[in-house]
Amino acid sequence: MEDAEFADRAVYLPAADALVLADLHVGKDATSDVELPLGERRDLTTRFDALLDRFSPSEAVLAGDVLHAFDRLPDGAPETVADLATLADEAGAELVAVAGNHDSMLAELTDCPDEHRLADDTLVCHGHAEPEGTAPRYVVGHDHPAIEIEGKRRPCYLWGPGTYRGSDVLVLPAFTRLASGTVVNGLRGRDFQTPLVVDSDPFRPVVRDEDADETYRFPALGKFRKML
């Protein structure tokens, strides 16, 4: 994954000229029990716009669970999705929204294929089900990975070279900051919801320090657990 560039819970793949992010869960704010608004739309759109400005991709791919609610479109959700599309269009990027298990209503807002192949043959899917297509590399979301280091929980990417039927897998953290994340420190393959993680030991955590704009790549979990 030496060619990948990580920033703000998203990944940019230069060979494909594509920005990929997952698990926006648009509408989580509106469906929460918190009476005051949590600023979801502004947070998602501002950060997405900053990523478009940083990488200038030709494609921006939302890797599933674009929406949060299964059975309805919460107040503000259509407007947020429309804002994301407008931002991508203004940046000269084609916006592609891949369907996740939460996205039963997404087709009312935009086309949403089950998977999307990038220019470098990477296949993007949500990760809640086995992919139909074969590829040398898969980029997925779904599990919202996070890692606890020195008592602090941090969203993380998980990079597994050759871990799924001989192909590489990159699991993205949730783009929404309203999701706390699932701590992977002690998780085994059977604990993951995605079938693309069969054995967690070979997966290497990647953690961002956004304030310092630094990316930290750690050893595979099988080894790294002993250091934590």
Side-chain angles (χ1 to χ4, degrees):
M1 206 68 184
E2 292 78 8
D3 59 330
E5 298 180 39
F6 301 95
D8 196 9
R9 308 189 185 205
V11 64
Y12 174 68
L13 302 176
D17 194 20
L19 174 72
V20 187
L21 49 149
D23 296 288
L24 286 79
H25 288 272
V26 173
K28 185 174 176 63
D29 184 341
T31 59
S32 73
D33 294 328
V34 179
E35 294 184 7
L36 295 175
L38 302 174
E40 175 189 84
R41 184 190 302 181
R42 180 177 178 81
D43 183 69
L44 292 176
T45 56
T46 299
R47 292 165 54 219
F48 182 60
D49 193 32
L51 288 165
L52 292 169
D53 184 62
R54 176 171 181 156
F55 295 115
S56 300
S58 60
E59 279 191 314
V61 184
L62 312 180
D65 281 6
V66 177
L67 301 177
H68 182 66
F70 293 90
D71 57 349
R72 60 193 176 93
L73 293 172
D75 291 343
E79 291 80 3
T80 300
V81 173
D83 286 350
L84 295 169
T86 297
L87 289 169
D89 184 63
E90 291 175 346
E94 179 184 359
L95 184 67
V96 178
V98 172
N101 56 303
H102 278 248
D103 291 324
S104 55
M105 305 294 290
L106 185 58
E108 295 192 14
L109 304 179
T110 184
D111 292 338
C112 49
D114 290 333
E115 51 195 41
H116 177 70
R117 193 173 297 276
L118 304 180
D120 68 347
D121 210 24
T122 294
L123 198 65
V124 179
C125 52
H126 182 56
H128 61 294
E130 297 271 1
E132 291 186 9
T134 58
R137 174 164 62 185
Y138 297 89
V139 178
V140 304
H142 191 50
D143 272 284
H144 304 185
I147 194 162
E148 191 170 291
I149 301 175
E150 296 179 345
K152 184 174 181 178
R153 178 182 297 193
R154 305 169 187 268
C156 74
Y157 308 79
L158 292 176
W159 168 236
T163 53
Y164 178 73
R165 299 178 180 176
S167 298
D168 302 341
V169 177
L170 178 66
V171 185
L172 301 178
F175 190 67
T176 177
R177 292 197 279 207
L178 299 182
S180 59
T182 301
V183 175
V184 301
N185 294 52
L187 292 191
R188 302 299 175 180
R190 63 181 179 274
D191 301 317
F192 283 80
Q193 296 182 45
T194 177
L196 284 87
V197 178
V198 179
D199 178 7
S200 63
D201 282 359
F203 278 81
R204 304 170 184 174
V206 178
V207 177
R208 282 283 299 169
D209 181 340
E210 298 301 336
D211 292 335
D213 196 18
E214 294 283 351
T215 299
Y216 299 96
R217 302 169 187 245
F218 293 101
L221 275 171
K223 179 179 180 180
F224 192 41
R225 286 190 187 99
K226 301 173 184 177
M227 304 177 184
L228 294 172

